[in-house]
Amino acid sequence: QVQLVESGGGLVQTGGLLRLSCEAFEFTLEDYAIGWFRQTPGEERVGLSCLRSYESRAWYTDSVKGRFTIVKDAAKNTMYLEMNNLKPDDTAVYYCAASEDRHWEGKCLPPRIAWWGQGAQVTVSS
């Protein structure tokens, strides 16, 4: 079954770090654009970092630039979001996504058609 499976969320103190994992099944992640998004209750899903299949450098939204890093591991068919210096405002449900490049718009808007992870709760305590 084609799917993305997330893991690695949890509770962390301000200033701490977490790594989210997103493993792809039944398709090759290397061939697709990927991204990480997050969502809080009542708000729209927001792009944090996106990387087209043909790019070597990812885009990051300003609020996470310098603190978060998107990593794609072809050997494990897995992408990661490494998060450092976490803040209470980073508390959200985090989603990974993968899709063909043509389905992505702008720098990092949620793609129209994509495979999505199931979501991982990240809670940062003050």
Side-chain angles (χ1 to χ4, degrees), residues 20-92:
L20 302 179
S21 300
C22 178
E23 185 175 3
F25 292 86
E26 301 299 325
F27 72 98
T28 301
L29 200 59
E30 190 76 3
D31 296 336
Y32 294 86
I34 61 171
W36 285 94
F37 301 79
R38 69 186 179 192
Q39 189 170 21
T40 53
E43 301 293 328
E44 294 185 351
R45 198 165 294 187
V46 175
L48 304 177
S49 179
C50 291
L51 179 67
R52 300 293 198 270
S53 65
Y54 51 83
E55 293 177 328
S56 59
R57 295 181 63 181
W59 176 90
Y60 295 90
T61 193
D62 286 346
S63 63
V64 307
K65 199 175 295 183
R67 300 189 299 124
F68 291 12
T69 304
I70 190 171
V71 178
K72 187 162 59 174
D73 187 331
K76 295 183 178 180
N77 211 27
T78 299
M79 61 176 160
Y80 304 92
L81 184 66
E82 298 177 343
M83 304 183 290
N84 296 290
N85 191 21
L86 283 160
K87 306 174 182 180
D89 284 349
D90 295 319
T91 296

